[in-house]
Amino acid sequence: MSAHAISPSIGTQLHGRYRAVRAATERLTEHLSEADCVVQSMTDASPVKWHLAHTTWFFETFILEKAVPDYQPVNPAFRFLFNSYYNGIGDKHPRPERGLITRPDLAQVRSYRAQIDERIGQAWLHGHLSSPQLLSLLEIGLNHEQQHQELILTDFKHLLSKNPLQPTYRAHWPLVPVAQRREQWLHYDGGLVQIGHRGDDFAFDNESPAHRVFLEPFELAAYPATNGEYLAFIDDGGYQRPELWLSLGWDAVHARAWRAPLYWSQQDGQWRVFTLHGPMPLDPSAPVCHLSYFEADAFARWSNAVLPTEAQWEHAAQRALASAAHGNFADNNLLHPVAAQHERPLNAPAQLFGDVWEWTRSSYDAYPGFTPAPGLVGEYNGKFMAGQYVLRGGSCATPAGHVRASYRNFFPPDARWQFSGVRLTR
Ligand SMILES: [Fe+2]
């Protein structure tokens, strides 16, 4: 997974990061009830309790079992119950039935977390975690838990949206000033460019190897598309015009009766969106989100534009010297995309990082020379390289510091429950 070796001195820092990442998960979920954490709203989403247990299972299965001599599991049944998709580990509980796991209860799962944290601490003390291979797996485990922190928010939002009372995850709406802006395009000469992960910091295996890609000249939108722009597409009959849609997209529009992005609803002629802070009036200046790939693609065609390739996106991010340290990430606690808060840097795109994941038109595929991470954790990314599209840049539900220019997220083209938006190119 990780493309680099980790020295033991970095291991000491990793233990501090372990505690910080685990505590962040607790903070996200500590105010939720037992019932909040058990129900599964759809097959794609998992209950909060399952996320809490599965991230813990990862550390127990991939690290403690290997690191600690004669390791005895906290509960042997958890190896099956909280395995997500690792066939090399053994049997797993069916994903669509995760909401049926009422036992162990939430307190037992929280206790499981505490016991594994204790055992990881003991393993540090006894020097069981000093090998570069185990430290590398630990770093994967931390990045894995951060991915599940985002899924906790997106899955829980979906669950709340199914409740007619439209309850909130956090009951305050962070009022932020709205910047109006107009359509702007940035020019890129293209040519032979390099994409993929370089350097010594952590990256997932699917970001490597770095390699060259040829780009024709292109223009990239300075901002992600807004709710106002998407509303113009809807008002122009976007969902009723077959010429705008891919065949599979047109099928999805009809089979699922799509008339607007997920979580949009109309009341007395006014559009509202369901957010983690409850239902809110639609902000026309904020980035549009909860689009499928098909909707992003149809909107692009209506706009006389296309979606960027992931190479175009990454090249623009490199050129902008955009730092993934800045952006509307989950740590802001806005938990919703908002209009650009600052002046855009000269000749650089705004909001590349944070707010919304941006669909690209690149199929999620192996880079030339890709090799999955060694061992059972090699199932993490590589085996999903069929039938999905790449998204870039992170969202308002992504933990700050988790993404980078080379980071590749991926979802099937009909997925809408992530904070997924669109930036146009032409
Ligand atoms: Fe996972």
Side-chain angles (χ1 to χ4, degrees), residues 50 54 84-86 144 148:
W50 186 89
H54 162 72
S84 51
Y85 53 66
Y86 295 88
H144 171 253
H148 279 274

Side-chain angles (χ1 to χ4, degrees), residues 385-401:
M385 290 173 173
Q388 311 209 45
Y389 285 85
V390 173
L391 302 96
R392 294 296 195 117
S395 82
C396 57
T398 308

Side-chain angles (χ1 to χ4, degrees), residues 13 32 88 96 98 101 106 135 191 195 201 220 320 365 384 387 408:
Q13 297 170 24
L32 304 183
R98 289 174 184 167
I101 306 171
L106 183 58
L135 293 175
I195 67 162
D201 53 332
L220 186 73
D365 197 358
F384 297 108
R408 309 171 79 198

Side-chain angles (χ1 to χ4, degrees), residues 50-51 54-55 57-58 82 84-86 144-145 147-148 151 380:
W50 186 89
H51 287 297
H54 162 72
T55 47
W57 167 93
F58 192 98
F82 300 123
S84 51
Y85 53 66
Y86 295 88
H144 171 253
E145 179 135 354
Q147 290 181 322
H148 279 274
L151 291 171
Y380 199 116

